[in-house]
């Protein structure tokens, strides 16, 4: 005899099943899109290495900055050079194209929070043309960097973004269909226009993805060995005043330096090399000095912040384009900065030791006096 | 607030549960508050017009219900007409009439008096909706609504406030007053309509807009083929823009358990222009039929009078769309083509194949859209001139890209429209495999809306009317 206790008249309404099926389909398609994204979206490739925290092993030295740092500082080269100075250090490069001060702040904070080995040193460059404007942030960071709830809230209270855009940033970067909308629209139009022209671009992205894996290069992206010709270096066209109306960038800079100082992290701010054709161009130097002084304002007095004042003008053989170094250029820059950091570390270590010794002597003196 | 903006989605996510939780007056007050918030999001000052219009028609309706004296009733109707059409006249038509008058009488420019005024969104829609209420109460087709919140919610009901469908009181008011019950089926069907509407608007209309904009902004520098593609793009754009809005509005209302009228029924598969107007913006067509065309005499009183009534009705329809002579001419030309169709049907017994009739009608509609889209009559004629005798050649390589974009974005619409046409149903997809396949397709469509939707969603075209 069948028990009627096991019989239930409850049936899930078909509309609920249908709704669930629609949502399920939507989720599966988004997941699939995320899987193929590295093959068609270079900006995604750039930031996914930051989002997925494949760098979570961390390092003693953290490189931050824009594309110039991303393509200009080689963690393994830095480690080798430091070893030559007798210092053992791990380095990682979290510089990414178009990085403006809000993201040097968020990236450093994320590295300090999530990395197993917390950074003790930050080496950073701030390209002056990124001290104003929002285009880069809009196209790369607000589109691809997945903020935590805390970060998106922080961006609102810092007035980097209004609350609704900040909320959109949080949600958009978690729904792949939304995240890739701009890129996919461009691809569709390009494919309809000339499908053959699209192929090299997509192949290039695949290669970039292959080369920029964190486990391979620790965040560095090589531009290869080709270099520019003198004809490619035109008049500079830069002016002062990019920073006007964007005081929020300096607020982020101050915040970053204060928080790093509070954790006793040493910050080295360096000036990026330029092609030697720019040397002796008074108006260019005036622009460089203007922004350098802006960065220094109020931060020079922080003991853990070191402004490396040297300006480098290098031959075109070191440049992949007028702004970025090629691989030999990157090796050169990395070695110079490693030497600077090593020298400074040794000096600091010696000073620390000296202070310790002085304190020890003073304590011994006091002990002797008391006897 | 646009339906596909984050602000609206947040608003609706909060609104919908409250709508089912609140009962009686509280629910009506919630609809009203939500609708005013929705409308005031553009500019809170526009709310004043909506409130004045609501107040006048509410009071006029009550008085009409209590009065039997014909003269008094006529005066009351006149008050409503003057107030509503007066507001519409000032905010939408003052500059048009003032400019036309001063141009006609050669008044110098410095002596002209024009006002700088913003057109409140959807003013033509809610004015026609409140007018239909007053006229229906006047004709005793409908009893006046004594509950102010119910009436005000009917006027301002946010899903259809700014671009229709223009609802009659007999259809919408009882649904607003009825206590709703939450049903998953309504939520699912509402979502379905909403997503289809978003697809039409964001994927098709907004992606075709740049091509039509480029052609209409610079006809002298566009090839013949480019202008033709531009006109086709605009035809698809305006259909997907407006019917997409209607689908979204119907979807939102459906989730609340309210059925709004169907406003489009495959208009581009109409077999004549007469048929077209029974399929395009149906609620406006029927409004004009019931409150203008039939009171004028309709088709009674001989062929000449019939044509005159058609021309008056279509000229008003054109004027309703925009305060400019090109809209009036657009309406009149529609009336003339319908006249031509009537004459042809009377004069000959030859019946064209259905496909040919559809092709002819569609192309006439597209050619007349040029007048609708152009900024003024001169611009429209310039477009027509360059279409047939171009300044930069008949075709170029750029046109091929534009054509591919048109085909790519319009193809889902074309395929689905033919399916609907052959299935003789606007919802043939609901029959497929007990709806499960439709559910999967809906998930794909939502994905496509977000992925392929134009990066910057544009304002709905019909909001300006």
């Amino acid at each position: 005899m069948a028990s009627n206790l096991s019989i239930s008249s409850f049936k899930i309404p078909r509309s609920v099943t249908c709704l669930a099926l629609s949502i399920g389909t939507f989720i599966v398609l988004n997941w699939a899109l995320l899987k193929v994204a590295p093959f068609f979206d270079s900006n995604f490739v750039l930031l996914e290495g930051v989002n997925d925290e494949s760098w979570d092993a961390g390092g003693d030295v953290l490189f931050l900055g824009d594309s110039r740092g991303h393509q200009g500082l080689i963690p393994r080269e830095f480690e080798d050079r430091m070893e030559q100075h007798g210092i053992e250090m791990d380095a990682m490069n979290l510089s990414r194209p178009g990085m403006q001060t809000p993201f040097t702040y968020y990236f450093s904070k994320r590295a300090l929070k999530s990395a197993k080995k917390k950074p003790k040193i930050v080496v950073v460059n701030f390209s002056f043309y990124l001290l104003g404007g929002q285009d880069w942030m809009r196209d790369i960071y607000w589109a691809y960097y997945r903020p935590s709830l805390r970060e998106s809230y922080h961006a609102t209270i810092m007035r980097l973004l209004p609350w609704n855009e900040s909320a959109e940033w949080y949600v958009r970067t978690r729904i792949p269909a939304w995240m890739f909308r701009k890129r996919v629209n461009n691809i569709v139009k390009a494919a309809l226009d000339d499908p053959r022209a699209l192929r090299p671009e997509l192949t290039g992205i695949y290669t970039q993805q292959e080369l920029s894996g964190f486990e391979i290069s620790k965040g560095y992206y090589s531009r290869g060995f080709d270099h520019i010709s003198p004809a490619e270096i035109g008049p500079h066209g830069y002016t002062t005043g990019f920073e006007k109306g964007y005081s929020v960038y300096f607020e982020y800079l101050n915040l970053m330096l204060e928080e790093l100082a509070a954790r006793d992290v040493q910050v080295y701010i360096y000036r990026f090399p330029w092609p030697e054709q720019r040397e002796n161009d008074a108006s260019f130097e005036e622009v460089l000095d203007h922004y350098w002084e802006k960065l220094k304002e109020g931060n020079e007095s922080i003991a853990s912040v070191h402004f490396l004042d040297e300006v480098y003008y290098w031959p075109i053989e070191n440049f992949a384009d007028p702004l970025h170094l090629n691989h030999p250029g990157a090796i050169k820059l990395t070695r110079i900065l490693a030497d600077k950091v090593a020298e400074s570390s040794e000096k600091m270590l010696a000073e620390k030791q000296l202070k310790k010794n002085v304190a020890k002597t003073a304590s011994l003196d006091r002990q002797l006096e008391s006897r | 607030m646009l339906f596909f903006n984050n602000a609206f989605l947040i608003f609706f996510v909060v609104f919908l549960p409250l709508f089912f939780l609140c009962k009686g007056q509280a629910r009506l007050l919630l609809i009203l508050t939500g609708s005013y918030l929705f409308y005031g999001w553009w500019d809170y000052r526009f709310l004043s017009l909506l409130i004045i219009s609501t107040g006048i028609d509410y009071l006029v309706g009550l008085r009409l219900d209590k009065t039997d004296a014909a003269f008094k009733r006529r005066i009351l109707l006149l008050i409503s007409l003057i107030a509503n059409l007066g507001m519409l006249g000032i905010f939408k038509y003052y500059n048009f009439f003032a400019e036309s008058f001063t141009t006609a009488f050669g008044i110098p420019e410095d002596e002209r008096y024009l006002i700088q005024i913003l057109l409140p969104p959807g003013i033509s829609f809610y004015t026609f909706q409140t007018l239909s209420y007053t006229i229906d109460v006047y004709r005793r087709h409908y009893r006046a609504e004594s509950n102010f919140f119910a009436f005000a919610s009917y006027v301002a009901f946010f899903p259809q406030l700014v671009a229709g469908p223009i609802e009659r009181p007999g259809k919408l008011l009882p649904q607003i007053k009825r206590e709703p019950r939450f049903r998953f089926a309504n939520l699912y069907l509402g979502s379905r309509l909403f997503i289809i509407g978003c697809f039409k608007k964001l994927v098709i209309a907004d992606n075709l807009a740049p091509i039509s904009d480029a052609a209409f902004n610079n006809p002298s520098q566009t090839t013949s083929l480019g202008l033709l593609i531009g006109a086709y793009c605009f035809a698809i754009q305006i259909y997907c823009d407006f019917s997409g809005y209607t689908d979204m509005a119907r979807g939102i209302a459906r989730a609340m358990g309210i059925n709004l009228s169907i406003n489009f029924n495959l208009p581009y598969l109409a077999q004549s222009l007469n048929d077209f107007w029974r399929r395009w913006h149906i609620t406006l067509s029927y409004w004009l039929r019931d409150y203008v065309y039939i009171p004028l005499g309709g088709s009674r009183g001989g062929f000449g009078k019939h044509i005159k009534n058609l021309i008056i009705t279509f000229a008003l329809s054109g004027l309703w769309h925009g305060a400019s002579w090109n809209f009036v001419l657009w309406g009149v030309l529609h009336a003339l083509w319908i006249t031509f169709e009537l004459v042809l049907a009377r004069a000959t017994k030859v019946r064209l194949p259905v496909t040919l009739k559809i092709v002819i009608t569609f192309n006439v509609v597209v050619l007349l859209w040029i007048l609708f889209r152009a900024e003024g009559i001169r611009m429209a004629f310039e477009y027509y001139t360059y279409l047939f005798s171009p300044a930069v050649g008949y075709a170029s390589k750029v046109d091929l890209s534009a054509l591919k974009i048109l085909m790519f974005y319009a193809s889902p619409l074309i395929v689905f429209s033919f399916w609907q046409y052959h299935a003789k149903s606007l919802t043939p997809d609901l029959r497929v495999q007990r709806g499960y396949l439709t559910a999967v397709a809906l998930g794909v469509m939502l994905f496509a809306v977000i992925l392929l939707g134009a990066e910057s969603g544009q304002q709905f075209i019909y909001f300006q009317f």
Side-chain angles (χ1 to χ4, degrees):
Chain A
M1 197 173 72
S3 164
N4 64 357
L5 287 175
S6 62
I7 297 168
S8 165
S9 60
F10 178 73
K11 267 177 75 180
I12 297 172
R14 204 163 81 205
S15 50
V16 176
T17 317
C18 287
L19 203 59
L21 206 55
S22 301
I23 294 167
T25 307
F26 179 71
I27 291 170
V28 168
L29 288 171
N30 274 290
W31 174 82
L33 182 66
L34 200 61
K35 293 289 152 200
V36 297
F39 300 97
F40 67 81
D41 195 327
S42 57
N43 286 342
F44 171 74
V45 171
L46 282 173
L47 284 200
E48 196 49 18
V50 181
N51 284 323
D52 67 10
E53 299 195 352
S54 50
W55 43 267
D56 68 345
D60 307 290
V61 183
L62 171 65
F63 300 143
L64 288 173
D66 62 2
S67 56
R68 309 177 84 193
H70 183 219
Q71 299 157 22
L73 292 175
I74 313 167
R76 293 197 199 285
E77 186 65 36
F78 191 89
E79 288 162 8
D80 292 347
R81 192 72 175 183
M82 291 298 272
E83 214 176 316
Q84 287 173 22
H85 287 277
I87 304 170
E88 259 195 44
M89 272 186 173
D90 295 324
M92 63 173 175
N93 190 339
L94 286 187
S95 309
R96 291 295 179 271
M99 189 187 286
Q100 294 176 281
T101 56
F103 288 91
T104 49
Y105 170 71
Y106 290 130
F107 282 24
S108 63
K109 210 164 160 79
R110 190 174 264 209
L112 281 167
K113 187 181 164 223
S114 307
K116 287 184 189 109
K117 197 177 210 179
K118 313 283 180 208
K120 295 185 191 94
I121 291 170
V122 168
V123 179
V124 60
N125 165 257
F126 298 103
S127 295
F128 60 83
Y129 44 81
L130 290 172
L131 291 172
Q134 292 191 332
D135 292 349
W136 282 92
M137 254 186 323
R138 210 163 276 285
D139 285 347
I140 301 181
Y141 294 87
W142 290 334
Y144 294 96
Y145 175 65
R146 271 197 296 279
S148 62
L149 265 180
R150 190 188 288 262
E151 283 169 340
S152 64
Y153 172 70
H154 185 263
T156 308
I157 57 166
M158 286 293 287
R159 296 189 187 165
L160 180 67
L161 281 170
W163 71 269
N164 54 335
E165 286 185 34
S166 182
E168 184 182 313
W169 176 30
Y170 182 84
V171 179
R172 176 193 268 262
T173 47
R174 280 164 173 81
I175 301 177
W178 197 359
M179 182 155 72
F180 298 115
R181 175 155 78 188
K182 193 173 183 180
R183 176 66 183 145
V184 169
N185 272 314
N186 288 339
I187 288 181
V188 167
K189 288 194 173 92
L192 290 171
D193 196 29
D194 184 4
R196 275 171 301 180
L198 197 62
R199 202 171 162 189
E201 192 191 333
L202 295 180
T203 317
I205 293 168
Y206 180 71
T207 316
Q208 180 194 347
Q209 187 234 342
E210 291 278 288
L211 290 174
S212 62
F214 206 83
E215 60 289 351
I216 300 169
S217 59
K218 299 186 93 175
Y220 161 70
Y221 179 67
S222 170
R223 289 289 297 269
F225 293 85
D226 291 346
H227 63 81
I228 44 168
S229 65
E232 286 173 66
I233 303 164
H236 67 81
Y238 297 118
T239 55
T240 55
F242 281 120
E243 77 284 11
K244 276 177 193 156
Y246 290 94
S247 60
V248 66
Y249 293 163
F250 288 95
E251 283 171 26
Y252 267 103
L253 174 67
N254 298 341
L255 197 62
M256 179 180 121
L257 297 179
E258 277 167 23
E259 289 191 14
L260 290 174
R263 285 170 168 255
D264 204 22
V265 176
Q266 301 299 312
V267 180
Y268 294 86
I269 303 175
Y270 68 98
R271 305 176 80 167
F272 207 86
W274 295 94
E276 61 193 4
Q277 282 80 353
R278 297 249 183 271
E279 203 171 3
N280 302 325
D281 181 340
S283 72
F284 182 67
E285 278 172 10
E286 194 187 322
V287 171
L288 288 190
D289 291 342
H290 168 82
Y291 289 109
W292 190 242
E293 288 310 313
K294 282 267 165 206
L295 290 174
K296 280 183 164 180
E297 263 173 28
N299 296 316
E300 232 177 347
S301 56
I302 305 173
S304 60
V305 178
H306 312 272
F307 284 91
L308 307 178
D309 287 313
E310 290 89 336
V311 188
Y312 306 105
Y313 291 103
W314 289 353
I316 52 165
E317 285 74 19
N318 292 131
F319 288 89
D321 63 49
L323 283 177
H324 300 94
L325 295 172
N326 57 13
H327 192 65
I331 293 174
K332 193 170 169 181
L333 178 66
T334 309
R335 285 179 182 169
I336 289 175
L337 290 178
D339 291 345
K340 295 267 174 203
V341 171
E343 193 182 305
S344 168
S345 299
E346 282 159 2
K347 207 168 140 192
M348 273 190 296
L349 208 67
E351 275 171 13
K352 251 187 199 170
Q353 197 58 47
L354 188 69
K355 270 184 197 168
K356 254 189 195 171
N357 290 344
V358 169
K360 214 175 177 181
T361 318
S363 143
L364 280 172
D365 284 350
R366 273 197 301 273
Q367 277 178 17
L368 283 172
E369 268 174 31
S370 66
R371 276 181 199 172
Chain B
M1 233 190 268
L2 297 174
F3 288 154
F4 49 82
N5 279 359
N6 300 337
F8 177 77
L9 297 177
I10 294 169
F11 160 77
F12 195 61
V13 164
V14 175
F15 176 87
L16 194 63
L18 289 175
F19 175 77
F20 288 107
L21 286 172
C22 295
K23 303 280 173 217
Q25 287 289 92
R27 190 178 50 79
L28 293 174
L29 193 61
L30 177 76
I31 298 177
L32 190 61
T33 312
S35 299
Y36 283 175
L37 179 70
F38 173 83
Y39 194 64
W41 202 265
W42 273 284
D43 191 331
Y44 67 90
R45 289 168 299 180
F46 294 151
L47 276 172
S48 55
L49 293 179
L50 186 64
I51 293 168
I52 290 168
S53 176
T54 307
I56 289 172
D57 285 303
Y58 174 71
L59 293 173
V60 165
L62 287 181
R63 297 295 299 167
L64 275 172
D65 222 21
K66 286 179 187 157
T67 314
D68 285 326
F71 179 71
K72 257 190 176 177
R73 290 174 63 78
R74 244 177 264 148
I75 292 290
L76 285 167
L77 178 66
L78 207 63
I79 289 170
S80 170
L81 289 174
I82 290 171
N84 285 301
L85 296 177
M87 276 194 290
L88 193 61
I90 291 168
F91 283 90
K92 187 165 176 176
Y93 298 109
Y94 173 80
N95 282 347
F96 166 65
F97 285 120
E99 247 179 354
S100 301
F101 178 81
T102 49
T103 307
F105 290 94
I107 296 169
E109 269 191 29
D110 53 345
E111 288 174 31
R112 293 176 186 185
Y113 183 70
L114 298 175
I115 50 176
Q116 288 290 322
I117 202 158
L118 271 177
L119 180 66
I123 188 168
S124 309
F125 284 93
Y126 71 72
T127 302
F128 269 36
Q129 188 151 309
T130 51
L131 277 180
S132 75
Y133 167 81
T134 320
I135 297 169
D136 281 4
V137 173
Y138 173 78
R139 289 174 173 174
R140 297 201 188 280
H141 290 172
Y142 192 78
R143 292 294 305 272
E145 178 54 57
S146 57
N147 185 333
F148 176 74
F149 290 136
F151 176 71
S153 300
Y154 156 73
V155 177
F157 188 52
F158 69 87
Q160 46 87 245
L161 172 61
V162 278
I166 302 167
E167 293 292 353
R168 307 292 175 87
K171 172 152 189 180
L172 186 56
L173 252 169
Q175 293 192 78
I176 285 180
K177 286 164 74 180
R178 191 179 60 207
E179 288 297 331
R181 270 184 61 199
F182 176 77
R183 287 175 195 275
F184 260 113
N186 282 335
L187 184 65
Y188 174 63
L189 290 172
S191 308
R192 181 181 166 276
L193 274 168
F194 188 79
I195 291 167
I196 290 172
C198 285
F199 187 86
K200 283 181 178 171
K201 165 68 181 159
L202 294 170
V203 178
I204 304 176
D206 287 354
N207 276 312
L208 292 181
I211 299 177
S212 66
D213 288 349
F216 280 92
N217 288 344
N218 206 352
S220 62
Q221 293 306 307
T222 312
T223 62
S224 267
L225 184 60
L227 292 173
L228 192 64
I229 292 168
Y232 281 122
C233 281
F234 180 69
I236 306 283
Q237 181 201 346
I238 193 169
Y239 171 60
C240 288
D241 190 284
F242 192 17
S243 73
Y245 175 88
T246 309
D247 289 338
M248 286 184 228
R250 291 183 63 226
I252 291 161
R254 184 62 190 256
M256 296 159 69
I258 292 172
N259 281 314
L260 295 181
S261 303
I262 288 172
N263 224 5
F264 294 89
N265 180 13
L266 305 174
Y268 290 150
L269 295 176
Q271 295 177 29
S272 65
L273 221 50
N274 200 10
D275 185 22
F276 174 80
W277 281 104
R278 282 195 291 266
R279 293 163 175 270
W280 177 275
H281 202 174
I282 297 168
T283 54
L284 175 70
S285 298
Y286 285 177
W287 196 100
L288 289 168
R289 182 197 66 184
D290 294 345
Y291 300 113
V292 180
Y293 178 69
I294 292 176
L296 282 171
S299 58
R300 288 164 292 163
F303 190 67
K305 208 167 175 198
H306 181 189
I307 302 308
K308 188 191 85 185
N309 293 340
L310 268 178
I311 291 175
I312 292 172
T313 309
F314 273 97
L316 280 176
S317 165
L319 201 58
W320 179 88
H321 280 91
S324 175
W325 285 110
N326 55 314
F327 287 105
V328 178
L329 185 61
W330 171 78
V332 170
L333 287 176
H334 269 270
L336 291 178
W337 187 269
I338 291 172
T339 307
F340 169 71
E341 286 172 351
L342 289 171
V343 171
L344 209 66
R346 280 183 175 203
T348 169
K349 285 200 164 74
V350 177
R351 294 288 173 263
L352 297 172
V354 171
T355 313
L356 188 60
K357 283 199 276 188
I358 290 173
V359 170
I360 291 170
T361 307
F362 175 63
N363 282 290
V364 170
V365 170
V366 171
L367 284 177
L368 291 177
W369 277 136
I370 293 171
L371 208 52
F372 187 96
R373 169 64 177 81
E375 281 161 20
I377 289 182
R378 188 184 298 174
M379 192 73 176
F381 280 106
E382 200 180 311
Y383 199 99
Y384 288 123
T385 309
Y386 289 119
L387 182 63
F388 296 105
S389 118
V392 289
Y394 285 96
S396 75
K397 211 180 162 188
V398 181
D399 300 332
L400 190 66
S401 300
L403 188 63
K404 282 193 236 171
I405 291 172
L406 170 63
M407 292 314 296
F408 178 79
Y409 287 109
S411 54
L413 177 77
I414 294 167
V415 170
F416 197 70
S417 298
F418 278 111
W419 186 22
Q420 288 174 308
Y421 188 77
H422 285 290
K424 294 188 171 61
S425 163
L426 287 176
T427 52
D429 52 321
L430 282 183
R431 296 187 211 147
V432 181
Q433 300 232 343
R434 292 162 50 85
Y436 291 135
L437 202 60
T438 301
V440 172
L442 202 62
V444 176
M445 196 176 253
L446 176 62
F447 179 74
V449 166
I450 300 175
L451 186 66
L452 296 175
E455 186 57 21
S456 50
Q458 300 191 357
Q459 178 103 320
F460 289 96
I461 295 173
Y462 263 69
F463 275 18
Q464 60 187 297
F465 308 138

